[in-house]
Amino acid sequence: MTCLTIPVVDIHNENFGELWPSLLLALKTSTFIAVDTELSGLGERKNLLNQCVEERYKAICHAARTRSVLSLGIACFKELQEKGENAYLSQIFNLTLLCMDNYTIEPQSVQFLVQHGFDFNKQYSAGIPYQKGNDKGHEHHVKGVRTLFLELLRARKPLILHNGLIDLAFLYQCFYAQLPDNLGSFIADLSEMFPAGIYDTKYASEFEIRLTASYLEYAYKKCKRENSKLIDLHTKHLSIEFCRYPASMSTFVDYRNCSMPDPNKSNAVEENICERFSAYGWCPNGLNCTQSHNIDLIIDEDEKTCEEKKEKKKKKNKRKRQKSMEPSDQSVKEEGPETGLFTEMEPPRKQSCGTTSLAGTSITHGCLTEGLQEELSGTLDCRMEEDKESKRHINETAVRSEDPAVDVKTISTISPIEGTKDLTGGVKRENSKSAEGGTHRAGFDAFMTGYIMGYAWMLKKGESSDTSPGNWLPDCHNKIYLSGKNVPLQIVKSVFSKSSRAHAQKMKLLSDSSL
């Protein structure tokens, strides 16, 4: 099993000012930016999947106004054309935040986050303070997370999210302004806030690269696995640059050892896969589940099933060819597509527990179907479908500092980092934290989100001669995944909708060069 070391820059109130220049430079020089959040809760889950999208938006607004963002992950990806096609520098930041307004925190959310290493003592003692809603004064002149969000908007880069509607609402309410009361104004505001476009990797996973399952860790590990195959074939592939930070930054960087499965090593002990986790990315039993939540085993099983289907199809086609060559008075009727294959407009769907498909589930007569009811009952991480709880075995990748003091080393996406060295002494540094103890971090989730988008873009580049950022993945441009729906939410301003007044004031502030 190969081992990779991933550094995530940990930012809190005590080092925020010191790392501010690096944050701004990473945002401004990036090609695209991926974002993820950890939340204090979401409220009544059933309302978040209302059949009416406008009512769903109202429920999300209520959650964003009464709950808070506990942690913000930002992963900046900068394309390196001089390093070859599809090469990136990636720098990952994990910001611990503290909302200064009263807010609700749900026990279920606390339990999940504590199980996965979130430090609430650190949050309350060193979290970066912020207030929600509209500006309370001249806070945009102060280095804070709300000012950082304005700088993200000012960078005018594509924004990458995973199942991102809830993230967008919380980002808007917590760091930008009071959410508009209606969905049309919210969409109009977003279309102006992110002119380079918003991309949802859950939507891309299902409708662009068409994965069997689309929850975050599955999509990331599947993309990594396919990318490794491309590397072995010495063909076009995604590569990420890693960096090593100086000893002076050692207290800011969280190094984690993450592993990749050895393809030549078979499991000595047969593990039973949890079908519910395999399909949905969560399990109501959590860490106490007696079955395996190992994503690599789940992908192995899916690939095995896929190969079996291919073999069956080959045999079927062979029988058809043989039958067509036999003399017959009757013409051979052409058979339709094999059962289980997917149509052009519908992505692959993974069946849960042998019956229910989550992504294809619909809401009928105002009632949730069985699949969505199961989904809602087990959202331990305060996020529909995206529990991501098996990150004990998560894979690699990268950080890049634009600081000239940082020595950068380029490493293939599947090459192990033998050890992390201090630039001053060259001595192997002990890992500050165990990967087993808490890999559920907004920063790392943001990186996985960005990696999926980088891989998807790499695949589509081969189909188009125009590879400028404004023209990549046009089929995913400004399309946000909607749980329980077969169509996305399109971030396009309607001629019947007006931007909110608070947004207009913020846009005027953005145009002020003295910011």
Side-chain angles (χ1 to χ4, degrees), residues 39-58:
L39 310 176
S40 68
L42 281 176
E44 182 60 45
R45 305 303 198 265
K46 185 179 296 186
N47 295 334
L48 299 174
L49 288 177
N50 195 297
Q51 184 179 17
C52 173
V53 179
E54 185 73 44
E55 292 300 318
R56 186 183 301 194
Y57 170 72
K58 291 180 180 179

Side-chain angles (χ1 to χ4, degrees), residues 275-287:
E275 293 294 334
R276 188 167 297 180
F277 186 88
S278 174
Y280 299 132
W282 67 269
C283 169
N285 297 322
L287 300 178

Side-chain angles (χ1 to χ4, degrees), residues 226-240:
E226 295 302 315
N227 193 60
S228 297
K229 295 176 183 178
L230 296 177
I231 294 174
D232 292 339
L233 294 173
H234 303 288
T235 186
K236 179 181 66 174
H237 63 273
L238 179 67
S239 62
I240 308 292

Side-chain angles (χ1 to χ4, degrees), residues 276 280 352-353 355-356 361-362 367-377:
R276 188 167 297 180
Y280 299 132
S352 172
C353 305
T355 55
T356 306
T361 306
S362 62
C367 298
L368 298 178
T369 60
E370 179 183 355
L372 286 180
Q373 289 173 352
E374 288 184 349
E375 175 190 344
L376 293 175
S377 65

Side-chain angles (χ1 to χ4, degrees), residues 31-80:
T31 303
F32 61 87
I33 301 168
V35 171
D36 189 81
T37 61
E38 297 291 356
L39 310 176
S40 68
L42 281 176
E44 182 60 45
R45 305 303 198 265
K46 185 179 296 186
N47 295 334
L48 299 174
L49 288 177
N50 195 297
Q51 184 179 17
C52 173
V53 179
E54 185 73 44
E55 292 300 318
R56 186 183 301 194
Y57 170 72
K58 291 180 180 179
I60 294 174
C61 283
H62 177 72
R65 289 165 181 166
T66 55
R67 276 73 176 173
S68 71
V69 176
L70 305 180
S71 180
L72 175 65
I74 300 174
C76 299
F77 289 77
K78 178 183 178 181
E79 191 173 23
L80 299 174

Side-chain angles (χ1 to χ4, degrees), residues 94-135:
N94 192 87
L95 287 78
T96 301
L97 308 178
L98 180 61
C99 180
M100 303 307 291
D101 299 318
N102 293 335
Y103 65 90
T104 300
I105 185 164
E106 299 172 11
Q108 202 175 32
S109 306
V110 173
Q111 184 182 35
F112 173 83
L113 292 171
V114 169
Q115 286 178 347
H116 294 83
F118 189 88
D119 189 346
F120 280 93
N121 287 330
K122 178 180 177 181
Q123 187 214 2
Y124 282 100
S125 64
I128 303 169
Y130 71 92
Q131 289 183 299
K132 301 193 298 180
N134 295 329
D135 291 338

Side-chain angles (χ1 to χ4, degrees), residues 54 182-189 492-500:
E54 185 73 44
N182 64 83
L183 180 61
S185 293
F186 180 59
I187 292 175
D189 292 355
V492 179
K493 185 176 181 179
S494 168
V495 293
F496 303 105
S497 299
K498 292 183 179 180
S499 298
S500 66

